[in-house]
């Protein structure tokens, strides 16, 4: 069945790069997403990648997709304290319909 | 940026009571969703709604659950007789159309005592 896994915690120093990893099982997934949740807030779509791409860059964010290994990563360059949040990896067979979420990685940025 | 609004932010209820969670999706959106997250667990899909009917629902969305778009602006989730295991954060989301990104609300934390 569909399943998405992530490590639950990551701690980095301000200014370093953060890399959050994710694995998924549904090989038919068309879209893979990264959502961010700040305390008390909703789920904010950070970025997404089509399954036929292997990399996408958006300012400080770089998404890498290894479709063969079903592995997705999010790299945040020059991590800031404002990046502290929970980051959810997610996949979907249809564009933005029925998104399947991972458990979330809690990123703590140490000043 | 436009927002999906959910009320209340916290709801406490007794087991067996009915609850209605309210959402105001973004005004020109056509697709609506409910998700939930039990504490410490994953965010789970509950139901999608389009053209005034349910387009897909998960196994969780049993006869105790219903959704409604009563007046063209609100989108509600009703739990008829709440159970302890319904305690969770419930997220509403909306999208312009299939293929468009989803916007999520900040959630309603439901506690069933």
């Amino acid at each position: 069945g569909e399943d998405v896994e992530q490590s639950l915690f990551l701690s980095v120093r301000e200014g370093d790069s953060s890399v959050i990893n994710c694995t998924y099982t549904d090989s038919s997934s068309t879209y893979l997403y990264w959502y961010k949740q700040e305390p008390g807030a909703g789920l904010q779509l950070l970025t997404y990648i089509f399954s036929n791409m292997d990399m996408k860059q958006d300012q400080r964010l770089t998404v890498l997709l290894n479709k063969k290994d079903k592995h997705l990563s999010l790299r945040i360059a020059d991590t800031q304290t404002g990046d502290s949040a929970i980051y959810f990896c997610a996949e979907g067979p249809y564009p933005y319909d029925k998104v399947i979420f991972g458990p979330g990685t809690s990123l703590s940025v140490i000043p | 940026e436009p927002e999906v609004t959910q009320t209340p932010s916290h709801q406490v209820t007794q087991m067996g009571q009915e609850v209605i969670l309210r959402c105001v999706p973004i005004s020109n959106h056509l697709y609506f969703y409910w998700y939930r997250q039990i504490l410490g667990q994953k965010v789970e899909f509950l139901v999608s709604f389009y053209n005034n009917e349910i387009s897909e629902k998960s196994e969780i969305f049993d006869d105790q659950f219903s959704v409604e778009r009563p007046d063209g602006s609100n989108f509600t989730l009703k739990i008829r007789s709440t159970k302890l295991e319904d305690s969770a954060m419930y997220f509403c989301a909306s999208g312009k159309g299939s293929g468009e990104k989803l916007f999520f609300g900040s959630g309603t934390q439901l506690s069933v005592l």
Side-chain angles (χ1 to χ4, degrees), chain B residues 2-111:
Chain B
E3 285 184 345
V4 174
T5 307
Q6 289 186 245
T7 54
S9 55
H10 293 90
Q11 172 99 41
V12 181
T13 190
Q14 296 287 330
M15 191 169 60
Q17 294 295 305
E18 174 184 285
V19 294
I20 297 176
L21 308 183
R22 300 180 193 281
C23 170
V24 180
I26 294 170
S27 61
N28 61 347
H29 285 186
L30 301 176
Y31 288 73
F32 312 108
Y33 308 82
W34 284 100
Y35 286 77
R36 79 170 185 192
Q37 184 182 29
I38 294 172
L39 187 64
Q41 297 185 26
K42 295 183 180 182
V43 179
E44 302 170 290
F45 169 79
L46 290 179
V47 66
S48 58
F49 190 87
Y50 169 71
N51 200 26
N52 280 323
E53 61 183 22
I54 290 173
S55 47
E56 189 171 0
K57 59 184 180 179
S58 72
E59 290 171 357
I60 303 165
F61 195 89
D62 62 21
D63 291 346
Q64 293 299 313
F65 290 86
S66 62
V67 288
E68 198 178 25
R69 190 152 159 79
D71 56 14
S73 64
N74 290 285
F75 179 52
T76 60
L77 174 70
K78 184 193 291 187
I79 308 174
R80 201 180 322 157
S81 176
T82 49
K83 307 186 195 75
L84 296 176
E85 53 265 37
D86 294 327
S87 295
M89 178 75 88
Y90 287 81
F91 291 105
C92 173
S94 70
K96 259 191 211 175
S98 191
E100 300 288 335
K101 71 178 180 181
L102 290 189
F103 290 80
F104 282 82
S106 55
T108 293
Q109 180 65 56
L110 176 66
S111 298

